[in-house]
Amino acid sequence: MCAPTGPEVFPGYSSSAMSEAVVPDALVSPAVGSMYGEKAGGPTVDFSYVGIDAILEQMRRKAMKQGFELNIMVVGQSGLGKSTLMNTLFKSKVSRKSVLATAQEKIPKTIEIKSISHDIEEKGVRMKLTVIDTPGFGDQINNENCWQPIMKFINDQYEAYLQEEININRKKRIPDSRVHCCIYFIPPTGHCLRPLDVEFMRRLSKVVNIVPVIAKADTLTLEERDFFKKKIREELRANGIDVYPQKEFDEDAEDRMINEKIREMIPFAVVGSDQEYQVNGRRLLGRKTKWGTIEVENIAHCEFAYLRDLLIRTHMQNIKDITSSIHYEMYRVRRLNENNTAVAHANGIPEHHLAAHEM
């Protein structure tokens, strides 16, 4: 829009009167107030400013009101520090053991899926965090098909969301129980992946974002750790396992550059601790040993900080977007095709007619 050039743009209206009419003081928003300067003759207006950038503030306010949801699944054998790591990540007691502490937990005979939700708030931002634990995974003598209950749970959450979505009178905001990320804990053997690890990640990477971590990495020397990480990356490539962040979902060159650095670090060698210690006058989370304190957030000691940044500070929204637009969408398309096929069979429509129609 061009600024008025003559003394009278419209008959009967002076330029000063028009300025007051177009932008009365009461309507100048705080977001764009800096665009308006004051001179001796009254306020001057930047007529080239439209205000499109104000959408960012509108989105921020709406998001702050609604809050956020994040659903994280942790999978691994007992004793690998899953609960401790989750407590360390969110600096609060969000683990299964913290809430449901018992005198002595028995190893379940089958895999149990346990979900615990918490409302977390930081600097006015509210988030509903759900931690899904899988006690019993990999603890049996025969672990054949032990991934099936986990796969069923993930698909059940997709199904619940789909049923809410296709309701005629659906909710304005559908509760999201879909698993956004699965942290898979690899035992710190220092050698290679077990067949169980390969089979689980190969199957589950097709339905959920998997982030593999080497648990209790302080049991390995730095040389052993680097060798183990390199070996795992080779095995993931050899078995066609795509862990998060997947290459095909890089949106542009900048994303590709950032994600390549992350892919070179995977799996993250992590150490978890919810114990605080005093080291050189600083309070920090760590594990105390006879030869010193392992600092959880010190990148020279372990890669916990990189994992936290990926899950929370840099890629949380992307993890949720991929869950919704890729994994859930694939499930949705498959289920709706199944429903269409079933209806067609019930109506006596030949299958080749249906296939031709879908093409």
Side-chain angles (χ1 to χ4, degrees), residues 131-301:
V131 178
I132 303 133
D133 199 357
T134 56
F137 178 84
D139 291 337
Q140 311 306 316
I141 294 173
N142 180 8
N143 289 303
E144 187 179 3
N145 296 334
C146 65
W147 47 267
Q148 285 181 344
I150 297 171
M151 176 81 86
K152 181 179 183 302
F153 178 87
I154 292 170
N155 284 332
D156 284 349
Q157 309 318 305
Y158 290 150
E159 182 66 26
Y161 194 91
L162 176 63
Q163 292 306 318
E164 287 285 353
E165 200 175 48
I166 62 178
N167 276 342
I168 295 173
N169 298 316
R170 62 183 179 182
K171 297 173 183 174
K172 186 177 179 182
R173 192 177 181 206
I174 300 173
D176 191 0
S177 63
R178 297 171 296 183
V179 179
H180 299 127
C181 179
C182 172
I183 303 177
Y184 187 74
F185 287 70
I186 300 168
T189 61
H191 301 297
C192 59
L193 291 175
R194 302 167 301 168
L196 172 63
D197 302 325
V198 172
E199 189 67 10
F200 178 89
M201 287 192 280
R202 188 175 67 82
R203 291 179 181 272
L204 270 293
S205 62
K206 294 178 174 62
V207 298
V208 71
N209 296 311
I210 289 185
V211 176
V213 300
I214 299 171
K216 297 192 171 181
D218 52 328
T219 61
L220 300 170
T221 66
L222 293 179
E223 291 78 12
E224 289 170 339
R225 191 179 82 180
D226 290 342
F227 172 80
F228 194 28
K229 283 163 64 76
K230 184 180 176 184
K231 186 77 175 170
I232 290 170
R233 285 195 295 269
E234 289 173 357
E235 291 189 63
L236 291 175
R237 279 194 295 269
N239 288 281
I241 299 170
D242 283 330
V243 297
Y244 184 84
Q246 302 92 328
K247 283 185 179 180
E248 61 265 37
F249 305 143
D250 292 345
E251 293 184 0
D252 51 40
E254 185 183 359
D255 274 359
R256 194 175 305 114
M257 186 176 68
I258 293 169
N259 290 342
E260 278 299 334
K261 291 180 181 178
I262 295 169
R263 286 188 276 266
E264 287 169 7
M265 283 190 284
I266 282 178
F268 297 105
V270 298
V271 177
S273 174
D274 45 18
Q275 298 295 315
E276 281 193 0
Y277 295 98
Q278 190 92 15
V279 178
N280 298 328
R282 295 180 297 124
R283 299 289 296 174
L284 49 83
L285 292 171
R287 284 169 55 84
K288 204 171 183 67
T289 66
K290 290 181 179 179
W291 51 87
T293 303
I294 298 160
E295 300 174 23
V296 167
E297 300 196 34
N298 187 337
I299 57 175
H301 292 191

Side-chain angles (χ1 to χ4, degrees), residues 158 206-207 249 323-337:
Y158 290 150
K206 294 178 174 62
V207 298
F249 305 143
T323 298
S324 179
S325 62
I326 306 296
H327 296 305
Y328 168 69
E329 196 64 22
M330 287 174 64
Y331 178 86
R332 176 182 164 279
V333 168
R334 179 167 58 80
R335 284 286 289 114
L336 294 179
N337 279 338

